[in-house]
Structure formats: structure tokens, C-alpha cells
Amino acid sequence: MIEIQVNNLVKSFEVGKNVLDGLTFQVDQGERVGLLGKNGAGKTTFIRCIADLIPHQGSIVLEEDGKKLGRSSIAYLPQLEKITSSLTTFETILLGLTKTLSWKVSEAQLAKVSQVIRELKLDAFANTPVRSLSGGQKQLVFLAQSFVSEPRLLLLDEPTSALDV
């Protein structure tokens, strides 16, 4: 069973001005947690702390059956900004496997990317540069990039912002 334990999480960008102050909680496998709040309330900062992308105080532990899992077990999908990459949809999703990629991409890795593309119905855009896709299509591509790595913890920052749900 997977769980994440957060104890006394504190993050400040200015001395004496905490954005996050003493957050403590636990989330167990299968639970989904949503964050609600005004713009600038610290939601993205919180997610980036959990993903271990920014320094913070306090402890954040991701465990599976009592064994600590590292940063490579987490996939983080940030809010989409302007995308200018010339990479195709397929290539962008393939980058989700950077933990296991080498100079030669294996048939199994190519098959894994193809499977995720099929499952998210991105076949028609597989060879299209991501920068030329609509906002919702780009969002799906980056969701696919997160899914292909099979993370133990998936952190999504405004994942449906450009999607028609």
C-alpha cells in the first residue's frame, strides 16, 4: 500500500512570510485530494513542495509497503504555459520515459508510448508538433507524458484548465 505523509510543511519566499505554514496530513493509496483556493493562495507551491521541486521545511515521505520511494516515483504535470517545442506528440510523450531512456530507444518503450497514445485517442496527432495543437490537445499530450512513466504518485496542477470536461 502506498501512502504519503506530510509533517509540518513550511514554505516561505520572504523571511517571516510563510505561504505554507505547518501543514500535516496523510493520504493513502486510492485516495484523491483536490486543492481549492484563490489565485496566489499557495496551491502550486504546495504541489511543487510535494514533488520535491522546491526547497521547503518539514518532511514529506512517500512510502510503498514501508519502503521509501524517491522523486522518480512522482510525476508532476504543471499548469501549461506557452509551448514552443518542435517535438511531435509522440516524441513529447516519449520524454515521459526519461528515467529509462538511453541512446537507443527500445521496442518496448516505443510500444508503451503507442499504447498511451491509443488509450487517450491521440493517434491523429502522433506526428504533429505539439506547439500546433489546441490547448486541450496539448493538455492531453502532457497528461499522456505523465501516464507513460507509470508513476506511483501523480500530481496535477490545474489538469483540466484547457480541456472540455
Side-chain angles (χ1 to χ4, degrees), residues 31-43:
E31 291 183 316
R32 293 181 185 100
V33 176
L35 299 176
L36 302 174
K38 298 186 281 186
N39 290 342
K43 300 179 299 292

Side-chain angles (χ1 to χ4, degrees), residues 99-117:
K99 293 175 258 179
T100 59
L101 286 177
S102 65
W103 289 106
K104 185 174 185 327
V105 179
S106 72
E107 289 298 322
Q109 290 168 320
L110 295 172
K112 194 174 199 179
V113 171
S114 294
Q115 177 185 353
V116 170
I117 285 173

Side-chain angles (χ1 to χ4, degrees), residues 2-6 25-27 50 60-63 153:
I2 295 176
E3 66 180 23
I4 185 167
Q5 300 168 1
V6 176
F25 66 92
Q26 177 176 315
V27 178
I50 300 295
I60 300 170
V61 178
L62 179 62
E63 290 184 338
L153 175 64

Side-chain angles (χ1 to χ4, degrees), residues 4-89:
I4 185 167
Q5 300 168 1
V6 176
N7 292 303
N8 199 31
L9 179 63
V10 176
K11 176 61 185 170
S12 60
F13 293 103
E14 297 177 29
V15 176
K17 209 172 180 190
N18 292 344
V19 176
L20 306 173
D21 193 8
L23 294 175
T24 298
F25 66 92
Q26 177 176 315
V27 178
D28 294 319
Q29 183 171 330
E31 291 183 316
R32 293 181 185 100
V33 176
L35 299 176
L36 302 174
K38 298 186 281 186
N39 290 342
K43 300 179 299 292
T44 295
T45 298
F46 171 74
I47 291 171
R48 294 185 74 214
C49 286
I50 300 295
D52 202 23
L53 295 173
I54 57 175
H56 56 273
Q57 296 173 329
S59 68
I60 300 170
V61 178
L62 179 62
E63 290 184 338
E64 183 170 24
D65 299 326
K67 179 185 169 203
K68 287 188 180 181
L69 300 175
R71 167 71 183 97
S72 63
S73 301
I74 300 171
Y76 167 64
L77 179 61
Q79 296 178 40
L80 277 185
E81 305 276 327
K82 184 176 181 183
I83 307 299
T84 59
S85 172
S86 297
L87 293 175
T88 66
T89 293

